[in-house]
Amino acid sequence: MSELLDLVHNMNRLAALERTGLLDSPPQEPFDRFTRLAARICKVPIALMTLVDRDRQFFMSSFGLSEPWQTLRETPLTHSFCKHAVARRAPLVIPDTTKDPVFRDNPASRELAVVAYAGIPLEVDGQPLGAFCVVDHE
């Protein structure tokens, strides 16, 4: 029964995400101001505003990403830490991904040098659609 509820919840979440019309939208300066500000305040190299789709996370806004991710504006869900914040519907803080059994093998830990992560879910109409996060390399 729990799996069925999770499936329905995810279907509702994805429908709400689709209704926003934000997936694959061009960069928008108001969102970019938030990610730049978050990186500056937290003194980290990367800040992201993500939308978690079925099989990818789309970067609504990003600051400090390396290529090819900056241009692609997305990663597969295999690289997503934000999907965990969305699933939990709660903030997620990982002080050291290299020591965390759940996250140490995440491809983003290697390919994007994610060592520390802090993210909070972004909700619309009670549905967690993505996350606002900061990332550090140390």
Side-chain angles (χ1 to χ4, degrees), residues 36-62:
R36 286 192 306 264
L37 181 63
R40 190 172 77 226
I41 289 171
C42 296
K43 297 179 180 155
V44 295
I46 298 172
L48 306 167
M49 187 177 296
T50 69
L51 299 173
V52 177
D53 200 2
R54 280 179 182 78
D55 57 359
R56 66 184 174 134
Q57 68 179 353
F58 172 71
F59 302 130
M60 233 348 261
S61 177
S62 63

PDB file of all heavy atoms in Angstrom, residues 36-62:
ATOM      1  N   ARG A  36      23.142  33.318  -7.190  1.00  0.00           N
ATOM      2  CA  ARG A  36      24.382  34.084  -6.952  1.00  0.00           C
ATOM      3  C   ARG A  36      24.462  34.528  -5.493  1.00  0.00           C
ATOM      4  O   ARG A  36      25.509  34.421  -4.857  1.00  0.00           O
ATOM      5  CB  ARG A  36      24.455  35.299  -7.875  1.00  0.00           C
ATOM      6  CG  ARG A  36      24.788  34.963  -9.316  1.00  0.00           C
ATOM      7  CD  ARG A  36      25.149  36.213 -10.125  1.00  0.00           C
ATOM      8  NE  ARG A  36      24.146  37.258 -10.058  1.00  0.00           N
ATOM      9  CZ  ARG A  36      23.177  37.462 -10.963  1.00  0.00           C
ATOM     10  NH1 ARG A  36      23.077  36.654 -12.012  1.00  0.00           N
ATOM     11  NH2 ARG A  36      22.324  38.451 -10.844  1.00  0.00           N
ATOM     12  N   LEU A  37      23.346  35.024  -4.972  1.00  0.00           N
ATOM     13  CA  LEU A  37      23.310  35.490  -3.585  1.00  0.00           C
ATOM     14  C   LEU A  37      23.563  34.335  -2.616  1.00  0.00           C
ATOM     15  O   LEU A  37      24.335  34.482  -1.655  1.00  0.00           O
ATOM     16  CB  LEU A  37      21.953  36.147  -3.295  1.00  0.00           C
ATOM     17  CG  LEU A  37      21.756  36.704  -1.888  1.00  0.00           C
ATOM     18  CD1 LEU A  37      22.750  37.828  -1.606  1.00  0.00           C
ATOM     19  CD2 LEU A  37      20.326  37.220  -1.738  1.00  0.00           C
ATOM     20  N   ALA A  38      22.953  33.193  -2.846  1.00  0.00           N
ATOM     21  CA  ALA A  38      23.152  32.033  -1.967  1.00  0.00           C
ATOM     22  C   ALA A  38      24.624  31.609  -1.950  1.00  0.00           C
ATOM     23  O   ALA A  38      25.181  31.326  -0.882  1.00  0.00           O
ATOM     24  CB  ALA A  38      22.269  30.878  -2.405  1.00  0.00           C
ATOM     25  N   ALA A  39      25.250  31.571  -3.118  1.00  0.00           N
ATOM     26  CA  ALA A  39      26.667  31.191  -3.187  1.00  0.00           C
ATOM     27  C   ALA A  39      27.530  32.194  -2.422  1.00  0.00           C
ATOM     28  O   ALA A  39      28.441  31.800  -1.684  1.00  0.00           O
ATOM     29  CB  ALA A  39      27.119  31.091  -4.639  1.00  0.00           C
ATOM     30  N   ARG A  40      27.228  33.465  -2.575  1.00  0.00           N
ATOM     31  CA  ARG A  40      28.004  34.498  -1.890  1.00  0.00           C
ATOM     32  C   ARG A  40      27.804  34.418  -0.375  1.00  0.00           C
ATOM     33  O   ARG A  40      28.774  34.425   0.390  1.00  0.00           O
ATOM     34  CB  ARG A  40      27.638  35.883  -2.409  1.00  0.00           C
ATOM     35  CG  ARG A  40      28.598  36.961  -1.904  1.00  0.00           C
ATOM     36  CD  ARG A  40      28.373  38.302  -2.549  1.00  0.00           C
ATOM     37  NE  ARG A  40      27.201  38.917  -1.927  1.00  0.00           N
ATOM     38  CZ  ARG A  40      26.208  39.515  -2.577  1.00  0.00           C
ATOM     39  NH1 ARG A  40      26.239  39.588  -3.889  1.00  0.00           N
ATOM     40  NH2 ARG A  40      25.210  40.049  -1.944  1.00  0.00           N
ATOM     41  N   ILE A  41      26.560  34.328   0.073  1.00  0.00           N
ATOM     42  CA  ILE A  41      26.277  34.289   1.511  1.00  0.00           C
ATOM     43  C   ILE A  41      26.875  33.047   2.165  1.00  0.00           C
ATOM     44  O   ILE A  41      27.451  33.115   3.251  1.00  0.00           O
ATOM     45  CB  ILE A  41      24.757  34.358   1.765  1.00  0.00           C
ATOM     46  CG1 ILE A  41      24.251  35.758   1.449  1.00  0.00           C
ATOM     47  CG2 ILE A  41      24.409  33.966   3.200  1.00  0.00           C
ATOM     48  CD1 ILE A  41      22.727  35.884   1.465  1.00  0.00           C
ATOM     49  N   CYS A  42      26.736  31.908   1.502  1.00  0.00           N
ATOM     50  CA  CYS A  42      27.231  30.647   2.064  1.00  0.00           C
ATOM     51  C   CYS A  42      28.712  30.407   1.791  1.00  0.00           C
ATOM     52  O   CYS A  42      29.281  29.425   2.283  1.00  0.00           O
ATOM     53  CB  CYS A  42      26.412  29.480   1.529  1.00  0.00           C
ATOM     54  SG  CYS A  42      24.683  29.530   2.045  1.00  0.00           S
ATOM     55  N   LYS A  43      29.314  31.273   0.968  1.00  0.00           N
ATOM     56  CA  LYS A  43      30.731  31.162   0.613  1.00  0.00           C
ATOM     57  C   LYS A  43      31.053  29.787   0.025  1.00  0.00           C
ATOM     58  O   LYS A  43      31.965  29.086   0.455  1.00  0.00           O
ATOM     59  CB  LYS A  43      31.612  31.465   1.821  1.00  0.00           C
ATOM     60  CG  LYS A  43      31.428  32.878   2.317  1.00  0.00           C
ATOM     61  CD  LYS A  43      32.277  33.178   3.517  1.00  0.00           C
ATOM     62  CE  LYS A  43      32.008  34.618   3.901  1.00  0.00           C
ATOM     63  NZ  LYS A  43      32.260  34.911   5.266  1.00  0.00           N
ATOM     64  N   VAL A  44      30.232  29.417  -0.973  1.00  0.00           N
ATOM     65  CA  VAL A  44      30.410  28.147  -1.675  1.00  0.00           C
ATOM     66  C   VAL A  44      30.529  28.412  -3.173  1.00  0.00           C
ATOM     67  O   VAL A  44      30.076  29.442  -3.659  1.00  0.00           O
ATOM     68  CB  VAL A  44      29.234  27.175  -1.404  1.00  0.00           C
ATOM     69  CG1 VAL A  44      29.198  26.777   0.064  1.00  0.00           C
ATOM     70  CG2 VAL A  44      27.914  27.758  -1.842  1.00  0.00           C
ATOM     71  N   PRO A  45      31.119  27.472  -3.913  1.00  0.00           N
ATOM     72  CA  PRO A  45      31.312  27.691  -5.346  1.00  0.00           C
ATOM     73  C   PRO A  45      30.066  27.438  -6.205  1.00  0.00           C
ATOM     74  O   PRO A  45      30.002  27.914  -7.330  1.00  0.00           O
ATOM     75  CB  PRO A  45      32.418  26.707  -5.715  1.00  0.00           C
ATOM     76  CG  PRO A  45      32.316  25.624  -4.706  1.00  0.00           C
ATOM     77  CD  PRO A  45      31.833  26.287  -3.430  1.00  0.00           C
ATOM     78  N   ILE A  46      29.085  26.678  -5.677  1.00  0.00           N
ATOM     79  CA  ILE A  46      27.935  26.287  -6.495  1.00  0.00           C
ATOM     80  C   ILE A  46      26.631  26.509  -5.742  1.00  0.00           C
ATOM     81  O   ILE A  46      26.523  26.153  -4.557  1.00  0.00           O
ATOM     82  CB  ILE A  46      28.025  24.805  -6.916  1.00  0.00           C
ATOM     83  CG1 ILE A  46      29.270  24.560  -7.769  1.00  0.00           C
ATOM     84  CG2 ILE A  46      26.776  24.370  -7.674  1.00  0.00           C
ATOM     85  CD1 ILE A  46      29.538  23.100  -8.074  1.00  0.00           C
ATOM     86  N   ALA A  47      25.644  27.070  -6.448  1.00  0.00           N
ATOM     87  CA  ALA A  47      24.274  27.171  -5.936  1.00  0.00           C
ATOM     88  C   ALA A  47      23.340  26.838  -7.090  1.00  0.00           C
ATOM     89  O   ALA A  47      23.586  27.237  -8.230  1.00  0.00           O
ATOM     90  CB  ALA A  47      23.986  28.566  -5.388  1.00  0.00           C
ATOM     91  N   LEU A  48      22.278  26.104  -6.769  1.00  0.00           N
ATOM     92  CA  LEU A  48      21.364  25.630  -7.805  1.00  0.00           C
ATOM     93  C   LEU A  48      19.915  25.775  -7.373  1.00  0.00           C
ATOM     94  O   LEU A  48      19.599  25.641  -6.193  1.00  0.00           O
ATOM     95  CB  LEU A  48      21.594  24.138  -8.091  1.00  0.00           C
ATOM     96  CG  LEU A  48      23.001  23.689  -8.449  1.00  0.00           C
ATOM     97  CD1 LEU A  48      23.109  22.178  -8.381  1.00  0.00           C
ATOM     98  CD2 LEU A  48      23.360  24.200  -9.829  1.00  0.00           C
ATOM     99  N   MET A  49      19.061  25.995  -8.359  1.00  0.00           N
ATOM    100  CA  MET A  49      17.627  25.890  -8.181  1.00  0.00           C
ATOM    101  C   MET A  49      17.199  24.814  -9.166  1.00  0.00           C
ATOM    102  O   MET A  49      17.297  25.003 -10.380  1.00  0.00           O
ATOM    103  CB  MET A  49      16.945  27.223  -8.490  1.00  0.00           C
ATOM    104  CG  MET A  49      15.481  27.238  -8.165  1.00  0.00           C
ATOM    105  SD  MET A  49      14.736  28.869  -8.466  1.00  0.00           S
ATOM    106  CE  MET A  49      15.600  29.879  -7.267  1.00  0.00           C
ATOM    107  N   THR A  50      16.785  23.649  -8.644  1.00  0.00           N
ATOM    108  CA  THR A  50      16.499  22.503  -9.500  1.00  0.00           C
ATOM    109  C   THR A  50      15.016  22.177  -9.537  1.00  0.00           C
ATOM    110  O   THR A  50      14.269  22.472  -8.605  1.00  0.00           O
ATOM    111  CB  THR A  50      17.245  21.241  -9.020  1.00  0.00           C
ATOM    112  OG1 THR A  50      16.689  20.812  -7.782  1.00  0.00           O
ATOM    113  CG2 THR A  50      18.726  21.485  -8.879  1.00  0.00           C
ATOM    114  N   LEU A  51      14.628  21.534 -10.614  1.00  0.00           N
ATOM    115  CA  LEU A  51      13.305  20.934 -10.751  1.00  0.00           C
ATOM    116  C   LEU A  51      13.542  19.453 -11.019  1.00  0.00           C
ATOM    117  O   LEU A  51      14.273  19.096 -11.950  1.00  0.00           O
ATOM    118  CB  LEU A  51      12.527  21.568 -11.908  1.00  0.00           C
ATOM    119  CG  LEU A  51      12.253  23.063 -11.764  1.00  0.00           C
ATOM    120  CD1 LEU A  51      11.621  23.610 -13.041  1.00  0.00           C
ATOM    121  CD2 LEU A  51      11.360  23.333 -10.562  1.00  0.00           C
ATOM    122  N   VAL A  52      12.960  18.589 -10.199  1.00  0.00           N
ATOM    123  CA  VAL A  52      13.197  17.159 -10.304  1.00  0.00           C
ATOM    124  C   VAL A  52      12.082  16.536 -11.137  1.00  0.00           C
ATOM    125  O   VAL A  52      10.929  16.466 -10.717  1.00  0.00           O
ATOM    126  CB  VAL A  52      13.288  16.509  -8.904  1.00  0.00           C
ATOM    127  CG1 VAL A  52      13.460  15.002  -9.028  1.00  0.00           C
ATOM    128  CG2 VAL A  52      14.444  17.129  -8.115  1.00  0.00           C
ATOM    129  N   ASP A  53      12.464  16.099 -12.333  1.00  0.00           N
ATOM    130  CA  ASP A  53      11.534  15.500 -13.292  1.00  0.00           C
ATOM    131  C   ASP A  53      11.594  13.969 -13.154  1.00  0.00           C
ATOM    132  O   ASP A  53      12.226  13.443 -12.243  1.00  0.00           O
ATOM    133  CB  ASP A  53      11.933  15.951 -14.701  1.00  0.00           C
ATOM    134  CG  ASP A  53      10.821  15.828 -15.728  1.00  0.00           C
ATOM    135  OD1 ASP A  53       9.701  15.421 -15.374  1.00  0.00           O
ATOM    136  OD2 ASP A  53      11.091  16.142 -16.914  1.00  0.00           O
ATOM    137  N   ARG A  54      10.977  13.257 -14.091  1.00  0.00           N
ATOM    138  CA  ARG A  54      10.935  11.786 -14.045  1.00  0.00           C
ATOM    139  C   ARG A  54      12.316  11.144 -14.066  1.00  0.00           C
ATOM    140  O   ARG A  54      12.592  10.215 -13.330  1.00  0.00           O
ATOM    141  CB  ARG A  54      10.155  11.241 -15.248  1.00  0.00           C
ATOM    142  CG  ARG A  54       8.695  11.292 -15.087  1.00  0.00           C
ATOM    143  CD  ARG A  54       7.969  10.748 -16.328  1.00  0.00           C
ATOM    144  NE  ARG A  54       6.545  10.858 -16.155  1.00  0.00           N
ATOM    145  CZ  ARG A  54       5.850  11.983 -16.303  1.00  0.00           C
ATOM    146  NH1 ARG A  54       6.477  13.096 -16.649  1.00  0.00           N
ATOM    147  NH2 ARG A  54       4.555  12.004 -16.107  1.00  0.00           N
ATOM    148  N   ASP A  55      13.184  11.623 -14.955  1.00  0.00           N
ATOM    149  CA  ASP A  55      14.475  10.973 -15.141  1.00  0.00           C
ATOM    150  C   ASP A  55      15.655  11.943 -15.163  1.00  0.00           C
ATOM    151  O   ASP A  55      16.744  11.579 -15.570  1.00  0.00           O
ATOM    152  CB  ASP A  55      14.463  10.148 -16.432  1.00  0.00           C
ATOM    153  CG  ASP A  55      14.114  11.002 -17.651  1.00  0.00           C
ATOM    154  OD1 ASP A  55      13.873  12.207 -17.504  1.00  0.00           O
ATOM    155  OD2 ASP A  55      14.090  10.438 -18.760  1.00  0.00           O
ATOM    156  N   ARG A  56      15.411  13.156 -14.720  1.00  0.00           N
ATOM    157  CA  ARG A  56      16.486  14.166 -14.720  1.00  0.00           C
ATOM    158  C   ARG A  56      16.155  15.250 -13.712  1.00  0.00           C
ATOM    159  O   ARG A  56      15.039  15.374 -13.231  1.00  0.00           O
ATOM    160  CB  ARG A  56      16.612  14.804 -16.096  1.00  0.00           C
ATOM    161  CG  ARG A  56      15.365  15.623 -16.441  1.00  0.00           C
ATOM    162  CD  ARG A  56      15.402  16.197 -17.829  1.00  0.00           C
ATOM    163  NE  ARG A  56      14.136  16.840 -18.132  1.00  0.00           N
ATOM    164  CZ  ARG A  56      14.029  18.033 -18.684  1.00  0.00           C
ATOM    165  NH1 ARG A  56      15.099  18.716 -19.017  1.00  0.00           N
ATOM    166  NH2 ARG A  56      12.843  18.539 -18.946  1.00  0.00           N
ATOM    167  N   GLN A  57      17.187  16.034 -13.404  1.00  0.00           N
ATOM    168  CA  GLN A  57      16.938  17.276 -12.677  1.00  0.00           C
ATOM    169  C   GLN A  57      17.349  18.410 -13.612  1.00  0.00           C
ATOM    170  O   GLN A  57      18.424  18.386 -14.206  1.00  0.00           O
ATOM    171  CB  GLN A  57      17.660  17.326 -11.339  1.00  0.00           C
ATOM    172  CG  GLN A  57      19.155  17.401 -11.403  1.00  0.00           C
ATOM    173  CD  GLN A  57      19.787  17.479 -10.032  1.00  0.00           C
ATOM    174  OE1 GLN A  57      19.124  17.599  -9.021  1.00  0.00           O
ATOM    175  NE2 GLN A  57      21.099  17.403  -9.994  1.00  0.00           N
ATOM    176  N   PHE A  58      16.444  19.351 -13.763  1.00  0.00           N
ATOM    177  CA  PHE A  58      16.647  20.502 -14.627  1.00  0.00           C
ATOM    178  C   PHE A  58      17.075  21.675 -13.752  1.00  0.00           C
ATOM    179  O   PHE A  58      16.504  21.904 -12.695  1.00  0.00           O
ATOM    180  CB  PHE A  58      15.333  20.837 -15.356  1.00  0.00           C
ATOM    181  CG  PHE A  58      15.371  22.129 -16.124  1.00  0.00           C
ATOM    182  CD1 PHE A  58      16.126  22.248 -17.277  1.00  0.00           C
ATOM    183  CD2 PHE A  58      14.654  23.230 -15.680  1.00  0.00           C
ATOM    184  CE1 PHE A  58      16.162  23.441 -17.984  1.00  0.00           C
ATOM    185  CE2 PHE A  58      14.682  24.426 -16.379  1.00  0.00           C
ATOM    186  CZ  PHE A  58      15.439  24.530 -17.534  1.00  0.00           C
ATOM    187  N   PHE A  59      18.088  22.404 -14.204  1.00  0.00           N
ATOM    188  CA  PHE A  59      18.570  23.560 -13.447  1.00  0.00           C
ATOM    189  C   PHE A  59      17.831  24.811 -13.904  1.00  0.00           C
ATOM    190  O   PHE A  59      18.122  25.374 -14.955  1.00  0.00           O
ATOM    191  CB  PHE A  59      20.077  23.741 -13.624  1.00  0.00           C
ATOM    192  CG  PHE A  59      20.874  22.542 -13.193  1.00  0.00           C
ATOM    193  CD1 PHE A  59      21.828  22.001 -14.022  1.00  0.00           C
ATOM    194  CD2 PHE A  59      20.656  21.951 -11.963  1.00  0.00           C
ATOM    195  CE1 PHE A  59      22.569  20.900 -13.636  1.00  0.00           C
ATOM    196  CE2 PHE A  59      21.386  20.844 -11.560  1.00  0.00           C
ATOM    197  CZ  PHE A  59      22.345  20.313 -12.399  1.00  0.00           C
ATOM    198  N   MET A  60      16.848  25.205 -13.111  1.00  0.00           N
ATOM    199  CA  MET A  60      16.126  26.462 -13.346  1.00  0.00           C
ATOM    200  C   MET A  60      17.122  27.618 -13.297  1.00  0.00           C
ATOM    201  O   MET A  60      17.025  28.577 -14.047  1.00  0.00           O
ATOM    202  CB  MET A  60      15.142  26.642 -12.199  1.00  0.00           C
ATOM    203  CG  MET A  60      13.678  26.883 -12.443  1.00  0.00           C
ATOM    204  SD  MET A  60      13.102  27.275 -14.023  1.00  0.00           S
ATOM    205  CE  MET A  60      12.961  29.001 -13.894  1.00  0.00           C
ATOM    206  N   SER A  61      18.053  27.479 -12.375  1.00  0.00           N
ATOM    207  CA  SER A  61      19.115  28.461 -12.235  1.00  0.00           C
ATOM    208  C   SER A  61      20.331  27.751 -11.670  1.00  0.00           C
ATOM    209  O   SER A  61      20.206  26.816 -10.881  1.00  0.00           O
ATOM    210  CB  SER A  61      18.687  29.587 -11.287  1.00  0.00           C
ATOM    211  OG  SER A  61      19.742  30.500 -11.109  1.00  0.00           O
ATOM    212  N   SER A  62      21.495  28.196 -12.100  1.00  0.00           N
ATOM    213  CA  SER A  62      22.719  27.615 -11.554  1.00  0.00           C
ATOM    214  C   SER A  62      23.798  28.680 -11.502  1.00  0.00           C
ATOM    215  O   SER A  62      23.850  29.582 -12.339  1.00  0.00           O
ATOM    216  CB  SER A  62      23.187  26.431 -12.399  1.00  0.00           C
ATOM    217  OG  SER A  62      23.519  26.856 -13.708  1.00  0.00           O
TER     218      SER A  62
END
